[in-house]
Amino acid sequence: MEILWFLIAMCMLSAVIVTYVRRRGGGIRQVAPGSPDAADPAAYGFVRQEELDIRLPGPDQDLLDVLDVVQRTQDWRAAAQLLAGTPKEGEVRWQRVQAFAGAASLELQRKPGVGGAWLRAWRSEAPKDPGGAAVHAEFLVQQAWRSSAAGSDDFRIILEEARTVCAQAGLFAPGDPVPYITELAVARGLGYSPEQFDRLWAKIIDRAPAHMGAHLAALHYWCEKWHGSRKEADEFATTAAARAPQGSLLAALPLFAVYEHLPEVNLVRGFYQSAVVTKAVDGALYAVHSARPDDPMLSHVRHLLVFFLVRCERWSDAMHQLVRIDGHVGALPWTLNGDPAAEYAVYRALAVAGYESNGGSPATLPH
């Protein structure tokens, strides 16, 4: 019986691949490598796969410069200075805290026992620095999810410590939502009750009611695979989108809810052309078009849009997103893959091929 199910699954996978690489009526055709008819992403000025930056979803040169200094010198002071000068309100502080914590976590993974020494020195030499406490809390969260099996004793121990550090960070920086946003991942891992979660969420809403990053983190809790359901996740996302102020990217939140509940095996023909997916994609496109060009969460939404637009075969729309995000791939859905750059490059190539097979070219794509 297991062999039968395996063969059925392989047939379904083959059907999906054939749909993409060979469609009737002007769709994508598979050609030999090097053929003159082969679509070339480089013709659009796209970055080579090996040069894609997997650390961030979009550019933040100040952060990258400081990360380079910190990792090269192992001196935490530049990081502390950058966070001290980053406003508490908005999304940038949260993203920078995540980036510093992720850098330390990856260092430790590559050099067990010695990697990330600059973060330990930061906490030791400036124990009440709010930036250091926030980064430490996020570091512990990332360590728990990266190094331990969810639900194991080690996992719970690390998250309990993260919760303690989140509380410290909140005391050091009154009004800063970041420590409480970090605790949302703790709530998910430790299984907070809905009442506990609501109390935590109220603290965030009081400080940053339209924080897109906070809503994305909270959405995970309400998903079917964690402590909610498809219905609860959809309600959370649609309610936030309906209440979003003009120009807010919260209007794109339902698309993230759809993504979190995608079927592992799609048995429905035309699923990505369904009303549910189309409505969520169009809502996200509206949010992107209405948002400020410098909104730091814009790249997050654009990356997920590329994933859906390619699967919806809306090639032109996908290309218009790609020309605005290419170069950085540190965002969903690519980061869930072991090789984010390779995963992104596949979708980029499909978008280019689909665009050209329907008459598009570099000359017809405005940047």
Side-chain angles (χ1 to χ4, degrees):
M1 181 61 71
E2 289 81 6
I3 294 176
L4 177 61
W5 282 113
F6 174 77
L7 292 175
I8 292 173
M10 291 303 295
C11 289
M12 290 176 179
L13 179 61
S14 298
V16 171
I17 293 172
V18 169
T19 300
Y20 276 113
V21 301
R22 195 177 208 179
R23 291 184 52 83
R24 291 176 295 179
I28 302 174
R29 292 182 301 104
Q30 190 173 26
V31 297
S35 165
D37 294 328
D40 182 10
Y44 296 84
F46 291 145
V47 175
R48 294 170 60 88
Q49 178 180 326
E50 58 269 25
E51 296 173 357
L52 291 167
D53 192 326
I54 65 173
R55 297 171 294 178
L56 301 173
D60 184 344
Q61 196 57 50
D62 289 342
L63 172 61
L64 293 177
D65 290 343
V66 169
L67 267 174
D68 178 64
V69 170
V70 169
Q71 294 187 302
R72 179 164 39 81
T73 66
Q74 291 295 297
D75 189 334
W76 54 269
R77 289 173 179 79
Q81 184 176 7
L82 181 65
L83 287 181
T86 304
K88 294 176 184 176
E89 62 276 6
E91 312 276 350
V92 175
R93 184 177 178 85
W94 173 68
Q95 294 193 30
R96 288 177 172 175
V97 165
Q98 285 193 310
F100 284 127
S105 181
L106 288 173
E107 278 187 38
L108 184 60
Q109 185 180 49
R110 292 165 183 159
K111 299 179 180 179
V114 296
W118 55 269
L119 178 55
R120 293 191 291 276
W122 190 354
R123 292 294 283 141
S124 174
E125 297 168 20
K128 294 186 178 181
D129 179 72
V135 172
H136 185 202
E138 175 66 28
F139 166 82
L140 290 169
V141 165
Q142 293 192 27
Q143 279 297 102
W145 293 98
R146 182 174 283 128
S147 64
S148 307
S152 67
D153 288 343
D154 287 346
F155 180 79
R156 296 187 65 84
I157 289 170
I158 297 173
L159 287 185
E160 290 285 2
E161 184 180 355
R163 176 161 58 182
T164 299
V165 180
C166 284
Q168 293 174 353
L171 291 174
F172 297 153
D176 185 358
V178 171
Y180 303 98
I181 297 172
T182 300
E183 193 180 346
L184 290 173
V186 176
R188 179 162 49 101
L190 293 182
Y192 281 22
S193 69
E195 294 75 21
Q196 287 176 298
F197 188 88
D198 285 342
R199 287 195 292 272
L200 172 60
W201 184 240
K203 295 177 182 178
I204 296 169
I205 293 301
D206 285 345
R207 291 164 173 78
H211 199 290
M212 179 68 172
H215 281 79
L216 289 175
L219 178 64
H220 290 302
Y221 177 90
W222 294 113
C223 285
E224 189 173 64
K225 60 189 174 185
W226 287 105
H227 306 294
S229 64
R230 183 187 301 266
K231 180 181 178 181
E232 287 175 303
D234 287 343
E235 286 179 352
F236 176 80
T238 54
T239 299
R243 294 175 178 172
Q246 179 64 29
S248 169
L249 285 168
L250 287 175
L253 199 61
L255 185 64
F256 287 85
V258 171
Y259 176 75
E260 291 296 334
H261 293 91
L262 287 177
E264 291 187 14
V265 177
N266 180 23
L267 301 178
V268 180
R269 182 179 177 85
F271 171 79
Y272 286 96
Q273 286 75 37
S274 67
V276 171
V277 173
T278 299
K279 182 179 178 181
V281 168
D282 288 344
L285 284 170
Y286 169 79
V288 163
H289 294 150
S290 304
R292 301 189 329 269
D294 63 344
D295 190 314
M297 292 300 292
L298 197 52
S299 294
H300 286 271
V301 180
R302 291 191 189 279
H303 278 288
L304 193 64
L305 269 171
V306 168
F307 172 88
F308 275 97
L309 290 168
V310 167
R311 292 198 170 202
C312 293
E313 301 175 28
R314 294 170 61 170
W315 312 116
S316 180
D317 287 338
M319 292 295 289
H320 278 80
Q321 301 307 315
L322 282 166
V323 296
R324 289 163 174 80
I325 59 171
D326 193 70
H328 297 83
V329 295
L332 283 175
W334 327 122
T335 50
L336 295 181
N337 186 277
D339 189 343
E343 182 77 356
Y344 168 83
V346 167
Y347 277 78
R348 186 177 64 182
L350 286 168
V352 170
Y355 183 65
E356 293 189 353
S357 69
N358 285 276
S361 70
T364 62
L365 183 66
H367 283 62

